[in-house]
Amino acid sequence: MADRLKDKVAIITGGVAGIGLGVAECYVREGAKVVLTANHNVDGGKKAVAQFGDDKALFVQMDVATEEGWNKVIKETIAKFGKLDILVNNAGIGGDGSPIENMSLDNWNKVINVNLTGNFLGVKAAINAMKDTNGGHGSIINVSSVAGLVGLPMAPDYSASKGGTRMFSHAVALSLAQRKIDIRVNSVHPGWIDTSIVPEQAKAAILQTIPVGHMGEPKDIGEICVYLGSEESKYANGAEFTVDGGVRA
């Protein structure tokens, strides 16, 4: 298929590698203009724009955990493409894997600030931008995790942040719907996706936990995000979409 996102403008945080780049590839294929962000991977941003073409893509370096970062990306999105239709809150980090009793407050705050506060700031900025430039219409997709549905023993900080994203998405979807604001909010919960952040030495053990017998690809998350960004999903709101190869079945 093609043109499912024709003329739509999307911000994809963490959009220059891994899942975010997979989402971007699917979005551009379907006719969207994409604004890709990263905090550190500037080279990845340049490569992504070269891959898609600067008429279809823009890279903005930003820190999702700051209001200044969000003000910057919204301003540059509107300046180049004129509006905002879709936000994919994908940027996220893991913790250091330490037991909760040994975890530093700094480590906890870093994970929560990027994964949860970053989503809050993004949702806030996107709603206002959609109101200002798109008639109060749009779709917000918060990328959570299966760790937002079931706790990961060695990642209490990550699990808390992703569970927070899940319930935050529910609450904002209800708030907007009850106020008759036509902006939908849904969460996506990836399982194990084959990206560079998965340690090679852990893959064999991970595969034993996945009923379908293989990890997902970034485009598997991209395809569900195409659906949620398109008008095909106009009745999907405040919902959770798990893409995990059957782990949570």
Side-chain angles (χ1 to χ4, degrees):
M1 297 180 68
D3 293 338
R4 294 166 69 194
L5 299 174
K6 185 178 180 181
D7 298 326
K8 291 189 181 292
V9 177
I11 293 173
I12 305 169
T13 65
V16 306
I19 288 174
L21 183 59
V23 175
E25 289 171 344
C26 292
Y27 270 39
V28 171
R29 182 199 71 207
E30 295 297 334
K33 306 291 196 302
V34 295
V35 179
L36 311 175
T37 83
N39 193 9
H40 304 295
N41 190 3
V42 175
D43 287 342
K46 293 176 180 178
K47 289 178 182 177
V49 171
Q51 174 183 345
F52 300 132
D54 62 9
D55 59 327
K56 298 177 182 177
L58 171 69
F59 171 67
V60 180
Q61 185 178 10
M62 68 171 292
D63 180 355
V64 296
T66 68
E67 288 192 302
E68 293 79 9
W70 280 103
N71 290 338
K72 177 184 179 183
V73 73
I74 294 295
K75 181 178 179 180
E76 294 194 26
T77 297
I78 303 310
K80 185 171 180 69
F81 295 124
K83 63 171 183 170
L84 178 64
D85 298 276
I86 304 164
L87 168 64
V88 182
N89 262 327
N90 169 71
I93 59 172
D96 64 5
S98 60
I100 190 68
E101 66 271 23
N102 299 329
M103 186 177 294
S104 71
L105 179 59
D106 285 345
N107 182 82
W108 173 272
N109 285 339
K110 182 178 180 180
V111 173
I112 296 298
N113 285 344
V114 172
N115 293 4
L116 185 53
T117 302
N119 283 356
F120 155 70
L121 293 172
V123 167
K124 177 182 176 181
I127 290 170
N128 285 319
M130 290 170 182
K131 285 181 175 181
D132 291 341
T133 68
N134 203 36
H137 176 73
S139 175
I140 295 173
I141 304 160
N142 291 322
V143 179
S144 178
S145 168
V146 292
L149 303 172
V150 59
L152 297 184
M154 294 306 292
D157 46 357
Y158 183 79
S159 299
S161 71
K162 293 301 186 177
T165 290
R166 174 194 179 204
M167 294 311 298
F168 176 63
S169 301
H170 283 263
V172 177
L174 287 171
S175 173
L176 294 170
Q178 289 176 359
R179 290 182 288 140
K180 309 303 180 187
I181 298 171
D182 188 25
I183 299 172
R184 298 176 293 105
V185 184
N186 294 285
S187 61
V188 174
H189 299 260
W192 289 105
I193 304 298
D194 193 4
T195 68
S196 60
I197 67 172
V198 180
E200 283 294 329
Q201 64 271 24
K203 286 186 177 180
I206 288 169
L207 289 174
Q208 297 301 312
T209 71
I210 304 173
V212 300
H214 62 84
M215 285 190 281
E217 303 174 34
K219 70 177 183 180
D220 293 322
I221 308 304
E223 300 295 4
I224 194 68
C225 288
V226 167
Y227 167 71
L228 290 172
S230 76
E231 299 308 309
E232 298 165 16
S233 60
K234 63 185 177 60
Y235 199 52
N237 197 17
E240 303 166 4
F241 294 81
T242 303
V243 186
D244 69 353
V247 171
R248 292 288 295 152

